Every structure is written in C-alpha cells, then in structure tokens.
Amino acid sequence: MQESFNEKIAKIDAQILTHQDRISALQSLKKDLLDQKKKSEVEMLYQKIQESGKSIDEVMSLIMNKP
C-alpha cells in the first residue's frame, strides 16, 4: 500500500524536527566552545600584561592611543 500525502508529510516533519534538535545541540556546543576560547584568550592576555610589569591602565592607554 502506498503512503498517503499526509503520511509522507508527517515523516518529513519528523525528520525536520530531528535535524532541528541536532542543529540546536550543535549551536549550543559551538557557543560553549567560543566561551571557553574567549576565557582562555582573556587569561592569556592578562598573564602577558602581568609579565610585562605594566598595569592594566597603562596597557589600556597604549591600546587607546594607537593611531
């Protein structure tokens, strides 16, 4: 027996939902990784500032005064 249009549409809708759930999970994973990357970069930057012996204000002044 051949599937009706409604049955085919229902199957496609189910597949769409499955893929939307997977996309949402991947987007969440991407956001988490970007957050971790940002935190790592900020920690690395802070460490380099400390190693330079300059204060945060001094480094900010250097950055803001660049042409």
Side-chain angles (χ1 to χ4, degrees):
M1 181 174 168
Q2 215 175 18
E3 290 180 300
S4 71
F5 287 116
N6 287 340
E7 290 170 330
K8 289 178 182 179
I9 290 168
K11 282 185 177 181
I12 291 170
D13 283 342
Q15 290 176 341
I16 289 170
L17 286 174
T18 298
H19 291 290
Q20 285 175 334
D21 290 344
R22 182 69 178 137
I23 289 168
S24 292
L26 289 169
Q27 287 173 330
S28 178
L29 179 59
K30 179 183 176 182
K31 182 188 178 304
D32 290 345
L33 287 171
L34 287 170
D35 289 346
Q36 289 175 27
K37 179 183 178 207
K38 181 179 178 180
K39 182 180 177 185
S40 175
E41 289 173 342
V42 169
E43 288 173 358
M44 184 178 7
L45 181 60
Y46 183 73
Q47 180 181 351
K48 293 298 179 185
I49 291 171
Q50 284 186 321
E51 289 173 5
S52 76
K54 297 190 183 313
S55 70
I56 297 289
D57 290 336
E58 290 173 310
V59 173
M60 288 298 295
S61 177
L62 288 171
I63 292 170
M64 300 306 284
N65 291 329
K66 287 284 181 185

